[in-house]
Amino acid sequence: MVLGWFSRLSRPAKGLLVTSVGTMVLSLQGIPIRLIEVDAWTLLFVRGVLAAPGLFVFFLVMERSRWKDQLRAMGVAGMTAALLFALDNAMFIYSITHTSVANTLLMISLSPLFAGLLTRIVLRQQVPRRTWLAIGGGAVATLVIMLGSLVAGDLPGTLAGLVASIAIGGTLVVLRSKPFLNMVPAIAIGAGLSGLVGLPAANPGSAGLRDWILLLVLGLLVMPLAFGLIATGPRFIPAAEVALLLLLQTVLGAYWVWIAVGEVPATATLVGGAMLLVVLAVHSVATLKSLDETPAA
């Protein structure tokens, strides 16, 4: 019944739905990450090696009988997406451990801009004006969220965050270049590669029983479901629009941690978060009105 309802949606509606749900699931990662008491590189390693098989299972469930053909057809695009996704994860962890969280997230908020630019350069496709306006609005809202938390210096960490942002945009553009393919296995490979990046500095033995339970929930449930859905988004909507929706995790993540852990977000986070939600809501409505609304399977 659910699949039948989904198949009757327009392509823009499908893309907005799967990406939004994936982003909401991804925003939940802040709770286990906040509670897990291991270092960043151990987290990167364990999360990666657990998420890789979880993502592949997601792919098998989605594709069933077609999985072999889909896997063979990925080719160079699949490996490129895998390498970019691994780079994004590694640079994000490096950034967040070498500069403030605010600096890192501000750099990450530029990913829709890079997705839009790479769409024009690589795919030779136009990016709608409404999307550029939303990218600008999203950047302003993110700046408001980070207001008062930004720190000077820490150049290597900030530059790593910028590289992560470019890698996110690049990953989404590559996924968008093959809308007829399920590229989730590429994300699975990328997750595994990012885990290997963290391996030399990882110390899994430092994790206690509660840490392992949270790591299993994060690696086998949250990450595969979130990234499986997000990787499906570019099959239906442009990469820049997927990147815009990913900004939701900045806002929702703070709210979930507030509810679950009791960390009260700053006033700037609440104000900027409300601004971002309005920007994304208006852009989503505009997308549904302006793009082809003909039902597609």
Side-chain angles (χ1 to χ4, degrees), residues 264-287:
V264 180
T267 302
T269 299
L270 298 175
V271 173
M275 291 172 58
L276 183 57
L277 290 175
V278 170
V279 167
L280 294 177
V282 170
H283 180 262
S284 296
V285 171
T287 297

Side-chain angles (χ1 to χ4, degrees), residues 39-293:
D39 64 90
W41 295 111
T42 300
L43 176 62
L44 177 65
F45 167 66
V46 177
R47 186 182 70 165
V49 297
L50 290 177
L55 279 160
F56 199 74
V57 169
F58 179 96
F59 167 70
L60 293 177
V61 170
M62 293 295 293
E63 292 301 325
R64 299 179 182 143
S65 61
R66 298 192 309 155
W67 70 272
K68 290 183 180 179
D69 293 335
Q70 291 279 319
L71 199 59
R72 282 194 292 263
M74 286 197 309
V76 175
M79 288 310 302
T80 303
L83 291 173
L84 286 171
F85 186 72
L87 178 64
D88 156 35
N89 278 267
M91 289 295 98
F92 177 78
I93 292 296
Y94 181 89
S95 177
I96 212 164
T97 55
H98 287 77
T99 187
S100 69
V101 173
N103 280 9
T104 298
L105 293 181
L106 185 59
M107 292 297 101
I108 295 299
S109 75
L110 297 176
S111 60
L113 173 62
F114 292 120
L117 293 174
L118 290 171
T119 295
R120 289 288 291 120
I121 296 169
V122 178
L123 301 184
R124 308 282 185 182
Q125 295 176 358
Q126 288 284 353
V127 177
R129 185 174 66 174
R130 68 176 183 279
T131 301
W132 288 121
L133 291 173
I135 289 171
V140 171
T142 305
L143 183 60
V144 171
I145 292 172
M146 305 307 165
L147 203 61
S149 300
L150 300 177
V151 297
D154 302 316
L155 184 60
T158 302
L159 289 178
L162 183 63
V163 173
S165 185
I166 296 171
I168 292 171
T171 301
L172 295 174
V173 169
V174 173
L175 296 180
R176 177 64 177 172
S177 72
K178 301 288 185 180
F180 52 89
L181 284 180
N182 188 330
M183 298 281 277
V184 170
I187 303 303
I189 295 170
L193 290 174
S194 68
L196 293 179
V197 170
L199 177 60
N203 181 20
S206 64
L209 177 60
R210 190 187 72 163
D211 294 327
W212 275 110
I213 292 173
L214 293 171
L215 284 167
L216 288 170
V217 170
L218 179 65
L220 293 179
L221 182 61
V222 175
M223 306 304 289
L225 182 57
F227 284 119
L229 291 170
I230 291 167
T232 303
R235 300 180 70 180
F236 303 110
I237 57 176
E241 296 186 13
V242 175
L244 267 173
L245 289 171
L246 283 175
L247 296 181
L248 268 175
Q249 67 168 315
T250 303
V251 179
L252 295 179
Y255 291 157
W256 298 141
V257 171
W258 181 12
I259 294 170
V261 184
E263 284 189 5
V264 180
T267 302
T269 299
L270 298 175
V271 173
M275 291 172 58
L276 183 57
L277 290 175
V278 170
V279 167
L280 294 177
V282 170
H283 180 262
S284 296
V285 171
T287 297
L288 291 174
K289 285 184 176 180
S290 62
L291 295 183
D292 180 17
E293 285 293 311

